[in-house]
Amino acid sequence: MAFGFDTIALLALIILLAYTVFGLTGFGSAITAMPLLVLLIPLRMAVPLMLVFDLAAGLLLGLKNRRVVDRKELLRLVPFMLVGMSIGLFALVKAPERLLLLTLGIFILAYCAWSLLLRPEVRQISSRWSMPLGITGGVFTALFGTGGPIYTIYLARRLDDKLVLRATISSLIFISGLSRLAMFSSAGLYGQESLPMLAAFLLPCALAGLYLGNYLHSRLPAARVVQAIWAVLIVGGASLVLRNIR
């Protein structure tokens, strides 16, 4: 591979961290990893790389909890998600990488501010929100693989059972992963040199993180986990904005 040992080691640690978060929460792997990955590899390599791991993780969690998935909510979101993903793929291929990274940084900081400062009340919302949130989530899913938080904003206000919520989010991420795989393959993103070998090398790190996250799910204080995740997101988002706004 065209990467040094230090780079490979750092990539492995990032993937391990990201999928530990995924195992703990059912989402958040890309939004945790992407600000760190783009310090080491190009965005157009990082996005299809993370997709390989999202598919593996989504398959494992989706199969484990498939009986409790809310299929009605999936059917509402998926068509709008696919529309958004088509828009996002066009931007990923055509837009300047600097602009995309700046957008990612702003998105992460806005999400942190919305969650930490506004503290919105979790209340039931209409199913009509599936259209704007599905499309927006699809755009950010194709661009950065970070649509999970947007889908969660919708589903957390539609589903009361935490197990059903976690299983439905995981299944939605897996469906979006299959769709992105087809889109990215047709766009030639998997033709990049070193990408297949890098994905094969780092996949065990993703699976190890997933196992670790599931193991720690009922053993760690939830507040401590959340605080650590927010710290990573804020630092990563701020660094992206500062680096690309100049």
Side-chain angles (χ1 to χ4, degrees):
M1 288 183 287
F3 302 103
F5 175 79
D6 292 346
T7 301
I8 296 293
L10 288 172
L11 290 172
L13 287 174
I14 292 168
I15 297 302
L16 180 67
L17 169 66
Y19 284 92
T20 300
V21 171
F22 189 98
L24 282 165
T25 64
F27 74 100
S29 55
I31 201 171
T32 303
M34 205 58 67
L36 304 174
L37 288 178
V38 296
L39 297 173
L40 303 171
I41 58 177
L43 176 66
R44 290 180 177 88
M45 177 176 282
V47 172
L49 179 68
M50 286 295 294
L51 171 56
V52 174
F53 311 142
D54 279 347
L55 282 171
L59 179 62
L60 290 174
L61 288 185
L63 287 177
K64 181 180 178 181
N65 300 313
R66 66 186 183 278
R67 293 182 180 177
V68 296
V69 169
D70 191 308
R71 291 175 174 78
K72 290 183 179 179
E73 294 297 346
L74 282 182
L75 290 174
R76 286 192 184 102
L77 277 173
V78 167
F80 299 120
M81 178 187 72
L82 294 176
V83 172
M85 286 172 59
S86 299
I87 299 170
L89 177 62
F90 179 82
L92 178 64
V93 173
K94 299 294 184 181
E97 181 160 320
R98 180 179 175 183
L99 176 61
L100 294 177
L101 292 176
L102 179 60
T103 302
L104 174 60
I106 293 172
F107 170 77
I108 291 173
L109 292 179
Y111 176 67
C112 291
W114 184 84
S115 300
L116 294 174
L117 302 179
L118 298 181
R119 296 186 180 277
E121 181 184 354
V122 178
R123 58 185 180 182
Q124 194 81 2
I125 61 173
S126 169
S127 61
R128 295 177 181 177
W129 280 98
S130 61
M131 183 177 74
L133 293 178
I135 292 174
T136 304
V139 169
F140 281 95
T141 292
L143 278 175
F144 314 115
T146 56
I150 299 175
Y151 306 138
T152 303
I153 290 171
Y154 172 80
L155 290 171
R157 286 155 180 77
R158 296 286 300 169
L159 305 173
D160 296 326
D161 190 302
K162 291 184 178 180
L163 180 61
V164 174
L165 174 63
R166 190 165 180 252
T168 305
I169 292 171
S170 298
S171 297
L172 185 64
I173 290 173
F174 181 66
I175 293 169
S176 74
L178 290 177
S179 304
R180 280 192 293 156
L181 180 63
M183 292 180 177
F184 289 174
S185 298
S186 64
L189 292 178
Y190 281 103
Q192 300 177 74
E193 187 179 357
S194 299
L195 180 56
M197 188 177 295
L198 186 62
F201 184 82
L202 294 175
L203 180 59
C205 300
L207 297 178
L210 185 64
Y211 174 82
L212 180 61
N214 276 289
Y215 176 79
L216 296 175
H217 181 67
S218 59
R219 292 172 174 82
L220 282 182
R224 296 291 184 185
V225 175
V226 170
Q227 288 171 1
I229 294 172
W230 288 129
V232 171
L233 292 182
I234 291 170
V235 171
S239 68
L240 283 174
V241 171
L242 292 175
R243 271 200 348 265
N244 293 283
I245 203 171
R246 297 172 183 173

